Amino acid sequence: VTFTPSSALSYNTVVTATLVATNGNSETRNHSYTFRTSDTPARAPAHSGVMVGLVYSDFLQFAWTTDEPAKGAVEYGTTPSLGSSTGTPFYVTAHSFFVNGLSPDTTYYWKVVSVDEHGNRTESPVLFNATLPSSLAQAGGNLRYVNGTTGNDSNPGTSGQPWRTIMKAVNSANAGDTVFVADGYYNERINADSTGDNGAAGRPVIFKAQGSACTIGEVVNIDDGAMTAVSGYANVYQLSLAGFPIPLADLDCVAQSHYDGILVNDTNQSRFTMIEADGPVPLATGAASSDPATRIDTLAEVLDVEGGFWVDTASQTLYVHPYGNRVPSESNTGLWLMSLRRGYTMIEADYQIWDGFRSYSTIRSDGQNNALLNLSVSGAAISSAAGSSGAANLLVRGCRVCH
């Protein structure tokens, strides 16, 4: 008699099966048998999709899947004998590892290893890939350039004829291209979508800031000449927002460039106060001083907090107390308005690397196999749709978020 269960049985489990026999006279006899299933499966986990995903000058990303939960590891080195390894103690079916600290323009040999919970082990063949040179030039790809001062989006994007906007580069770059972005402020909303802006495994699209002051984010400059002093409130100024390009409901921030600061209306609507990138949150000195997280919602509280602001939605008026008590009629306060929601840098594409940018708005990666490197974000966040069906395998390294 052959016993075939209707569904797969678990390993090392006690099972009771009942044999029912019926003769020609419709007489039946039952007999139960108890047994334990095998302690270990008959085979090791099977690999699929073994690949190198992202390639950079100092890291490689390795990814693969197994047909059962397994601990994964990557063994690697500069010779076929390997010598180094990194892994995880968790049993999963989707495996991804970023191996950092590698040398530029160097060939690395590697293999992936999977071990299931019963100790069955599978190894891939030893393969090899090279990191990118310091120039970030990719085989078969192009070097592209963006310059917000001298560029033109009608140009071919070469070093001598750069593009003007980052979005032109996002829409034009192909898998394997590296885009160098010159220092400057790029007042634009950036959205790398998943339909036409993807890189590819082993051939990412790289966006590299040149210098330390390459800033991205959509803002509206405030005309100091349009700001007027508020009678009876020293150092407080007002600006009508009627017909302003950013809807009042979307107004989240006011930045004062002289102080590299930012005024934040945080998500729980609890606080309107400027936060300096390298300093503490300023505290109120009057009625609001007992609770520094108190929402600034009166003109008197704006007077209380140097660096505070308040939007009176009834009159559509912005009230600001600039840092340093700067007087708009005498010197440029350097104020900007911005919306965190409107100003997102959204990376929905796959296989992209963004390195070295500054931003006054949130940088969000919802694509797969992306890397965010050496970013400096003021008053906002670096985020991802973690746990969703889209976002996966994101490397965030060397980034600084100032709140």
Side-chain angles (χ1 to χ4, degrees):
V1 177
T2 301
F3 170 66
T4 304
S6 59
S7 59
L9 301 178
S10 299
Y11 297 110
N12 196 27
T13 302
V14 175
V15 178
T16 298
T18 300
L19 176 64
V20 180
T22 305
N23 63 19
N25 296 323
S26 298
E27 296 173 328
T28 61
R29 294 289 186 272
N30 298 337
H31 190 82
S32 295
Y33 299 88
T34 299
F35 58 92
R36 182 182 293 274
T37 58
S38 173
D39 203 18
T40 59
R43 62 172 181 80
H47 285 166
S48 61
V50 178
M51 68 172 186
V52 167
L54 292 180
V55 179
Y56 207 55
S57 58
D58 62 352
F59 75 80
L60 295 170
Q61 178 209 6
F62 304 91
W64 72 98
T65 59
T66 49
D67 63 346
E68 63 170 313
K71 294 189 295 186
V74 177
E75 298 181 8
Y76 63 96
T78 54
T79 68
S81 60
L82 309 178
S84 300
S85 66
T86 184
T88 176
F90 303 108
Y91 292 95
V92 296
T93 56
H95 308 265
S96 178
F97 293 92
F98 290 90
V99 177
N100 293 283
L102 305 181
S103 299
D105 202 14
T106 301
T107 297
Y108 284 88
Y109 296 85
W110 59 274
K111 68 179 179 181
V112 301
V113 179
S114 302
V115 181
D116 68 16
E117 59 184 340
H118 305 286
N120 296 307
R121 179 185 179 96
T122 300
E123 298 183 2
S124 73
V126 174
L127 305 171
F128 61 90
N129 285 84
T131 52
L132 296 183
S134 299
S135 67
L136 301 183
Q138 302 186 64
N142 297 300
L143 298 181
R144 302 297 191 187
Y145 296 85
V146 175
N147 189 307
T149 302
T150 65
N152 189 308
D153 284 349
S154 298
N155 288 343
T158 61
S159 59
Q161 294 181 287
W163 293 314
R164 186 175 186 85
T165 65
I166 296 174
M167 270 308 299
K168 172 63 177 179
V170 167
N171 293 331
S172 302
N174 297 311
D177 286 355
T178 298
V179 179
F180 294 101
V181 183
D183 266 354
Y185 188 82
Y186 293 84
N187 188 356
E188 54 182 302
R189 184 178 184 182
I190 298 170
N191 184 8
D193 65 46
S194 58
T195 57
D197 300 330
N198 295 317
R203 303 183 70 240
V205 179
I206 298 171
F207 295 88
K208 180 70 170 73
Q210 294 183 298
S212 60
C214 185
T215 307
I216 55 179
E218 186 181 37
V219 302
V220 177
N221 291 319
I222 295 178
D223 179 7
D224 275 0
M227 299 181 68
T228 58
V230 179
S231 177
Y233 294 86
N235 305 312
V236 177
Y237 300 86
Q238 62 187 348
L239 176 72
S240 174
L241 298 180
F244 218 67
I246 296 178
L248 294 185
D250 281 352
L251 179 60
D252 295 298
C253 307
V254 180
Q256 187 170 359
S257 61
H258 289 282
Y259 291 86
D260 195 21
I262 194 164
L263 292 149
V264 176
N265 166 7
D266 53 13
T267 54
N268 61 10
Q269 301 290 298
S270 66
R271 184 180 68 222
F272 286 73
T273 182
M274 178 176 281
I275 298 175
E276 288 187 278
D278 297 303
V281 177
L283 303 182
T285 56
S289 61
S290 61
D291 182 4
T294 297
R295 174 185 173 125
I296 297 175
D297 56 8
T298 68
L299 188 54
E301 290 173 352
V302 176
L303 174 64
D304 240 7
V305 182
E306 181 182 330
F309 83 101
W310 172 55
V311 177
D312 182 356
T313 55
S315 65
Q316 299 188 52
T317 302
L318 168 69
Y319 295 95
V320 165
H321 184 166
Y323 261 120
N325 295 323
R326 286 182 174 269
V327 180
S329 60
E330 297 177 358
S331 61
N332 177 19
T333 56
L335 292 173
W336 301 334
L337 296 182
M338 67 188 71
S339 162
L340 294 184
R341 289 182 288 275
R342 285 163 51 94
Y344 263 26
T345 293
M346 180 67 77
I347 307 169
E348 295 176 322
D350 302 334
Y351 297 104
Q352 289 208 349
I353 299 174
W354 290 73
D355 185 355
F357 292 90
R358 300 179 63 188
S359 178
Y360 286 120
S361 59
T362 292
I363 297 178
R364 180 182 176 106
S365 173
D366 283 358
Q368 298 191 46
N369 304 297
N370 291 329
L372 305 179
L373 311 175
N374 308 306
L375 305 179
S376 179
V377 179
S378 297
I382 295 171
S383 68
S384 172
S388 76
S389 58
N393 304 334
L394 172 66
L395 172 65
V396 179
R397 191 188 72 188
C399 296
R400 180 171 179 259
V401 178
C402 308
H403 283 288

